[in-house]
Amino acid sequence: FAYQHCPFREVTHAAARRAPVIRRIAVRLWPSARRAEQVDISAAGITASGLFGSVAMGWQDVATTRRGRTPSGRRRLVVRARDGRRLEVASTLPGFERLCAAVAGHAQA
């Protein structure tokens, strides 16, 4: 599950790779920088990446999964690990509903 190619996103990621402080500032000030841009699901777990960097969780590490809304009313999926790591996926990600169903199925198994 991933967004389509976007040249602006590529420039932002390139800047964050060159100056890691940009990544930390963006994640604190820009809510969409905390959201996953690419999510991969396997039998072992879930892996996501975005401007925040990357997060990998085994299904045994998942503490909660919750579908909800942002303060502005947009839908999202939040997956939390037992150690505090968090993964947030916006409903604008292509295949969002299929992703939610797959995460719920694996997390409950």
Side-chain angles (χ1 to χ4, degrees):
F1 303 92
Y3 288 107
Q4 293 179 0
H5 173 75
C6 173
F8 297 115
R9 188 177 296 121
E10 297 299 323
V11 168
T12 305
H13 284 275
R17 281 191 300 273
R18 288 188 181 89
V21 70
I22 291 173
R23 183 182 315 266
R24 290 189 296 274
I25 291 170
V27 167
R28 290 178 200 260
L29 300 178
W30 187 25
S32 63
R34 293 186 289 267
R35 296 185 194 123
E37 296 174 9
Q38 180 176 349
V39 180
D40 296 310
I41 293 181
S42 70
I46 184 169
T47 305
S49 62
L51 189 56
F52 59 84
S54 64
V55 173
M57 291 181 211
W59 295 120
Q60 71 280 2
D61 298 331
V62 174
T64 62
T65 61
R66 183 176 59 93
R67 287 181 67 168
R69 294 196 177 268
T70 65
S72 63
R74 294 191 173 106
R75 294 179 308 142
R76 68 179 173 181
L77 170 68
V78 178
V79 180
R80 289 187 186 268
R82 297 184 200 299
D83 63 5
R85 290 175 292 154
R86 177 183 170 173
L87 167 61
E88 184 176 328
V89 182
S91 64
T92 56
L93 187 75
F96 178 76
E97 293 299 328
R98 287 185 299 122
L99 173 68
C100 288
V103 168
H106 282 291
Q108 292 175 357

